[in-house]
Amino acid sequence: MKTLSKIFLFAPLFAFLLLSCSEDDPVMQDDGPAYSISELQGTWNATSIRFTYCGQGQIEPSSYEVIAEGGDATMVVQANGRFTLTINVNIEGAEPAIITGTMFFEDGEFFAIQFDDDEPNDPTYFGDTLSGNTFSLNGGPDTAEWDFDGDGNDECAAVDLSFVRA
């Protein structure tokens, strides 16, 4: 009878622990709805990187297109989703921007990037398309920052990126 009473005490405790553990962390998966992150492995050259102002009020200019303005960018993606994006802008004295992180599909559905310089477990979500040798990302408001008015302070921006496989 002692064994039976221990089971009755253990079962509710186990159920409590199981239910009290939450899944706050995103479930990082390689496979998405249309492709796998591993299919992005390799080097990608940017054909377009557009920052669009997303703050309150007006600012001029309200967008900046890195490639059209004479800049360039290259992204190297590993099979596990780790990447390095190097953006060179054609602005005198500007240093290259080097952005690193991990790409994944959250719950196998939503394309997400965990940037290395962001809070852990706080991914940024993008619209994504992989079509042949073209990869595009569409970020909503506040997915990037850009100094639109040249005052030395970055303003919030939406970013759209397009790449072709090198």
Side-chain angles (χ1 to χ4, degrees):
M1 196 57 131
K2 281 188 173 182
T3 303
L4 189 56
S5 66
K6 286 182 183 178
I7 291 173
F8 285 134
L9 289 174
F10 181 75
L13 178 62
F14 180 74
F16 171 76
L17 290 174
L18 185 64
L19 293 173
S20 67
C21 294
S22 66
E23 182 94 20
D24 290 339
D25 298 341
V27 178
M28 300 170 71
Q29 296 179 337
D30 181 55
D31 293 328
Y35 64 94
S36 293
I37 293 295
S38 59
E39 293 177 57
L40 298 174
Q41 180 178 6
T43 301
W44 297 84
N45 295 322
T47 57
S48 175
I49 297 179
R50 175 176 297 282
F51 295 94
T52 305
Y53 180 66
C54 68
Q56 299 293 326
Q58 293 186 11
I59 196 166
E60 290 297 326
S62 61
S63 68
Y64 186 85
E65 214 310 326
V66 172
I67 307 305
E69 294 294 331
D72 64 73
T74 303
M75 180 171 63
V76 178
V77 182
Q78 299 173 18
N80 65 359
R82 290 285 309 155
F83 74 93
T84 300
L85 171 62
T86 304
I87 301 174
N88 298 296
V89 295
N90 189 19
I91 298 173
E92 188 175 325
E95 296 289 321
I98 299 173
I99 301 157
T100 59
T102 302
M103 299 177 187
F104 61 95
F105 287 101
E106 184 173 311
D107 300 327
E109 186 175 353
F110 304 105
F111 186 90
I113 297 178
Q114 178 63 57
F115 292 102
D116 288 344
D117 62 350
D118 280 352
E119 294 289 323
N121 302 319
D122 187 22
T124 303
Y125 300 94
F126 290 84
D128 63 299
T129 305
L130 177 61
S131 178
N133 288 326
T134 302
F135 178 54
S136 300
L137 293 173
N138 178 348
D142 246 350
T143 52
E145 294 180 334
W146 185 260
D147 182 8
F148 290 96
D149 55 9
D151 67 356
N153 297 312
D154 289 337
E155 291 84 29
C156 77
V159 63
D160 293 310
L161 307 98
S162 294
F163 299 91
V164 293
R165 194 177 295 276

